[in-house]
Amino acid sequence: MTALTTAVSAPPGRMSPRHKLVLTLLLGAQFMLAIDFSILNVALPVVGRGLGFGLDELQWIATAFALPAAGFTLLFGRVADLFGRRRMLLTGMALLAAGSLIGGLAASPAMLLTGRVLQGLATAIATPAALSLITTSFPEGPMRTRALGLSGALMSAGFTVGAILGGVLTDVLSWRWAFLINVPVAVLILAVTPAVVSESRSRGGAKLDVPGAVTVTGGLLALVYGITSGGSRGWDDPVAVGALVAAAVLLSAFVLVERRSPAPLAPLSVLTRRTVTWGNVGGFVAFATETSLVFLMTLYLQKVLDFSPLTTGLALGVLGAGTFAGGVAAPRIMGRFGGRTTLVAGLLLQAAATAALLGVGESRDGLGLMLVATAIGGFGNLVAIVAFMGTVTSGLPDGEQGLATGVATMTQQVAITLGIPVMSAVATANTSVLGGVHTAIAVNVAIVLAGAALVGSFLRRS
């Protein structure tokens, strides 16, 4: 059976049945990757007890995933452009199945961390490939905006579903199923994708920029390691400072390499486009603040209100419903008001809803306020994320879509990695858990407002 092509006749702005089939498969892959990111969060203490991780070692379960997920995303986004986006999606799915199987059967901390590294690497390979397959399969305009809206909605819903599913599997079965559940789904995607999605790659015959790949990957790995080390050990820790200095040196070297390379990994003409630069600033703020807010609400629900992991996951499900609704509504909002206005408006709505969370207290009387505010904030956050993705991929040829989506995915991963340790440090600086949560919420709101102001000022209408 040959792969279905996406170049089929359909009324302008409407998806054909084949478009819908391709989109369903790609969204399914992204949804699973999003679930995989968050499914272990509420199960970390149980995993630690089961395999002998110390309390101060639990962070490495998350870091082992975050390092390759953020460090290799830009590289593999470009590799997908040059060597085939479908091929890289299939490679990522195969690695995800292998890493999940190793993690699920882990008998030691080293084996579990190996599985998490493979899962992070799979995310770095498959996520930009899936996103660029969406942007190259659907022409720029209403169809692509709608596809990106659904993509954003399912990815954000996947983060929340992962938290809920992790709590359910841990309480009912075992934390091992948080890994093993990925295996049959990944195998199904591997079997179906060749028959549904056509191969897509850049036709320019360009070669891979090896010096650029080495410097940017090394720089991003050092950046993520420095961020996570600083969040756990303190920002004056020599290891954290050394890693951040190395990141600055390597990323500066990357810029110099790209200026002189005849076939740059990431052409500076693309990275310095106003839509790419300021769109990614807005996306960074949206991801860093909302994912860290989920951490703060988890801390509040479990440490202040004394909820169980399962109940916490279910409470955060309301936020997931808000994000899904935002993803569905965002394409229409963006189509009417444009990317810049939609991005700024989404951030402002998120900031207002987050500020309302300053009203939560030690009693469960404020639970209703928390549920409503997180749902509204999630709606605004997803509207901003869809506008971010639409903005950074607009106006670019198909041959640069893998690069653009790789940069956007890198922004997402680094933002998530940075947001949680920073907010954790702010929250734990206060002797009172509730006081720390309130302080971190105020900082969160200030960051969102600053991001909205920057995007609104510098991302002019084209």
Side-chain angles (χ1 to χ4, degrees):
M1 182 177 181
T2 59
L4 300 174
T5 62
T6 57
V8 295
S9 59
R14 298 189 63 181
M15 295 186 188
S16 69
R18 290 183 177 180
H19 277 128
K20 293 177 181 178
L21 184 59
V22 170
L23 184 60
T24 298
L25 180 68
L26 296 176
L27 292 182
Q30 290 184 300
F31 186 63
M32 185 179 67
L33 291 167
I35 288 177
D36 185 55
F37 175 84
S38 60
I39 196 169
L40 275 183
N41 287 355
V42 298
L44 285 180
V46 180
V47 176
R49 289 194 299 270
L51 290 179
F53 281 91
L55 186 61
D56 59 339
E57 296 172 331
L58 286 179
Q59 61 155 329
W60 288 106
I61 299 177
T63 302
F65 180 95
L67 277 170
F72 289 94
T73 295
L74 183 60
L75 169 62
F76 283 118
R78 191 56 174 163
V79 169
D81 278 341
L82 300 179
F83 300 106
R85 301 175 180 108
R86 186 182 71 177
R87 178 178 298 170
M88 297 309 293
L89 175 62
L90 293 174
T91 301
M93 288 295 105
L95 272 179
L96 181 65
S100 299
L101 188 61
I102 291 171
L105 299 177
S108 66
M111 189 173 175
L112 183 125
L113 293 177
T114 299
R116 285 301 275 169
V117 167
L118 290 177
Q119 286 182 323
L121 195 59
T123 297
I125 295 172
T127 301
L131 274 172
S132 58
L133 281 169
I134 289 176
T135 57
T136 54
S137 297
F138 296 90
E140 186 172 342
M143 283 181 64
R144 182 184 293 179
T145 303
R146 183 184 174 197
L148 289 174
L150 291 172
S151 170
L154 282 179
M155 287 186 72
S156 288
F159 295 142
T160 305
V161 169
I164 298 171
L165 188 60
V168 172
L169 291 174
T170 301
D171 282 0
V172 176
L173 296 173
S174 164
W175 62 264
R176 295 182 182 277
W177 283 99
F179 285 95
L180 296 176
I181 195 172
N182 291 329
V183 177
V185 181
V187 169
L188 178 63
I189 292 174
L190 282 169
V192 175
T193 297
V196 174
V197 180
S198 298
E199 184 58 281
S200 168
R201 63 167 61 90
S202 173
R203 300 297 181 185
K207 296 180 180 180
L208 184 63
D209 173 20
V210 175
V214 171
T215 51
V216 74
T217 302
L220 290 172
L221 287 171
L223 177 64
V224 174
Y225 185 81
I227 290 168
T228 53
S229 296
S232 61
R233 301 174 181 174
W235 296 102
D236 58 349
D237 177 71
V239 175
V241 173
L244 292 175
V245 170
V249 171
L250 287 168
L251 292 176
S252 297
F254 169 69
V255 173
L256 296 176
V257 167
E258 297 307 275
R259 284 178 176 173
R260 299 179 180 181
S261 174
L265 177 74
L268 297 182
S269 60
V270 174
L271 297 183
T272 55
R273 283 175 62 107
R274 186 168 292 180
T275 51
V276 174
T277 300
W278 294 105
N280 274 287
V281 168
F284 182 91
V285 169
F287 276 107
T289 53
E290 191 69 8
T291 52
S292 61
L293 184 67
V294 172
F295 165 77
L296 294 174
M297 290 300 97
T298 300
L299 189 65
Y300 171 71
L301 290 169
Q302 294 193 10
K303 298 296 184 181
V304 178
L305 299 188
D306 199 30
F307 282 6
S308 69
L310 176 57
T311 307
T312 299
L314 292 174
L316 292 175
V318 178
L319 186 151
T323 59
F324 186 82
V328 173
R332 291 186 179 182
I333 298 172
M334 190 174 170
R336 181 172 180 179
F337 297 104
R340 171 178 172 268
T341 301
T342 303
L343 180 51
V344 172
L347 290 174
L348 291 176
L349 180 59
Q350 177 188 334
T354 303
L357 292 171
L358 291 169
V360 299
E362 293 183 350
S363 73
R364 297 188 179 186
D365 295 340
L367 184 59
L369 170 64
M370 194 214 82
L371 295 177
V372 173
T374 53
I376 294 173
F379 181 94
N381 177 259
L382 223 292
V383 168
I385 287 173
V386 172
F388 144 64
M389 286 302 307
T391 298
V392 300
T393 58
S394 64
L396 294 175
D398 284 355
E400 294 175 347
Q401 288 296 330
L403 169 62
T405 55
V407 172
T409 306
M410 178 196 69
T411 295
Q412 169 188 324
Q413 296 292 346
V414 174
I416 293 170
T417 304
L418 176 62
I420 293 176
V422 167
M423 288 303 162
S424 175
V426 172
T428 55
N430 196 306
T431 55
S432 162
V433 174
L434 182 59
V437 168
H438 279 162
T439 302
I441 288 173
V443 172
N444 190 296
V445 172
I447 293 172
V448 179
L449 290 175
L454 286 171
V455 172
S457 298
F458 295 102
L459 185 59
R460 304 293 184 188
R461 289 184 181 274
S462 58

